[in-house]
Amino acid sequence: MALNKELWLNTVVENFYPDNSFATKSIDDSAFVNNKTVHIPNAGAPSGVKTNRTQKPASVTSRNDNDLTYDIDELTTDPIYISDIEKTELSYDKRQSVIANDRQQLQDEAAQNLLYRWGNTDVVFKTTGDAAEAHTSTTATGYRKSIVKHDIMKLNIKFNTDNVPQSDRYLLLDAVMYAQLLEDLTDKELSAFIASADAQKGILGQLYSFNIMLRSSVLRTTIVSNKPVVLPWSDNAVATECAAGLAWQKSCVSRAMGEVKMFDKTNDPAYYGDIYSFLVRTGGGLRRYDKKGVALLIQDQAEAPAA
């Protein structure tokens, strides 16, 4: 019987991770990441203005400022074990692969944690397009309204009426919602959209003052007491949950990202190998007490399309 030659490659096919460049489009509070709580003072209402004042002396008032806070979370990975035989006999460097993947996974969880915090806003808009199948999970059932360009215009109007700065506005969409938006654009609009892209900054195009960004998944929501609530991705899927995009202006949100720390115990005599784990401190939140400059765009429930 002939013996066929076998070849073992010296590299391993690694995992894929989403693009988290959206996190840099915020105010960086990372210098304070080693504290328990970060305080963001917010100015109170300005003084009143009178035209042709007749009452003198004028009445004197004081300004009441607000204190907005967010806590820092500590994210840790489960310790992972690499046996001595794996270091010796495998054709690829498993230690290097484990370190790279766990570090990336921790950073991805930190970015998702940041999205969840930014999504804690009272400003909510619903999509208005045609019915499309729910896509946040295999458990989500039924249909949701697609995102259309008119929905972006509504966000633009809200930001404008709230005097939110025109510059540095962003809208993060998941893969399905982004595809739906592109389908709603005319050929001329699509051409202009693509021409306004800035790939180095993670911006796929501009529409109605917003820099559009893409992430494989963004946020998912459910209804609690007739109010939309953001669900952490770690929670069990809900049949009626809806996908949501997030719009914000850079000066209205914060991020605090620490360095990823690696803990290791090499040549452990009880395990006959090495043990590694990782830790990162992270936090962030809305910077404004009035929550202006941040909005959720939630896919609304929809009836099944006519056959």
Side-chain angles (χ1 to χ4, degrees), residues 77-91:
T77 63
D78 297 330
I80 192 164
Y81 161 64
I82 302 176
S83 67
D84 186 72
I85 197 171
E86 288 178 304
K87 295 188 294 181
T88 303
E89 297 184 355
L90 292 180
S91 64

Side-chain angles (χ1 to χ4, degrees), residues 191-213:
S191 178
F193 179 81
I194 294 174
S196 63
D198 189 339
Q200 290 186 336
K201 295 182 179 180
I203 297 169
L204 301 182
Q206 295 179 334
L207 186 64
Y208 302 138
S209 80
F210 287 95
N211 296 302
I212 309 299
M213 303 186 72

Side-chain angles (χ1 to χ4, degrees), residues 22 49 72 99 112 143 152 163 176 185 213 290:
F22 75 89
V49 176
I72 299 296
I99 291 175
Q112 193 65 61
Y143 293 85
I152 315 300
N163 293 316
V176 175
L185 300 179
M213 303 186 72
D290 55 18

Side-chain angles (χ1 to χ4, degrees), residues 234-275:
S234 57
D235 285 7
N236 293 330
V238 179
T240 57
E241 69 184 37
C242 297
L246 184 68
W248 74 94
Q249 200 278 336
K250 182 176 181 179
S251 65
C252 298
V253 290
S254 293
R255 74 183 187 277
M257 296 283 189
E259 294 294 326
V260 176
K261 295 183 179 180
M262 184 179 77
F263 301 86
D264 64 289
K265 190 174 185 180
T266 58
N267 300 318
D268 187 290
Y271 282 87
Y272 306 98
D274 302 338
I275 301 173

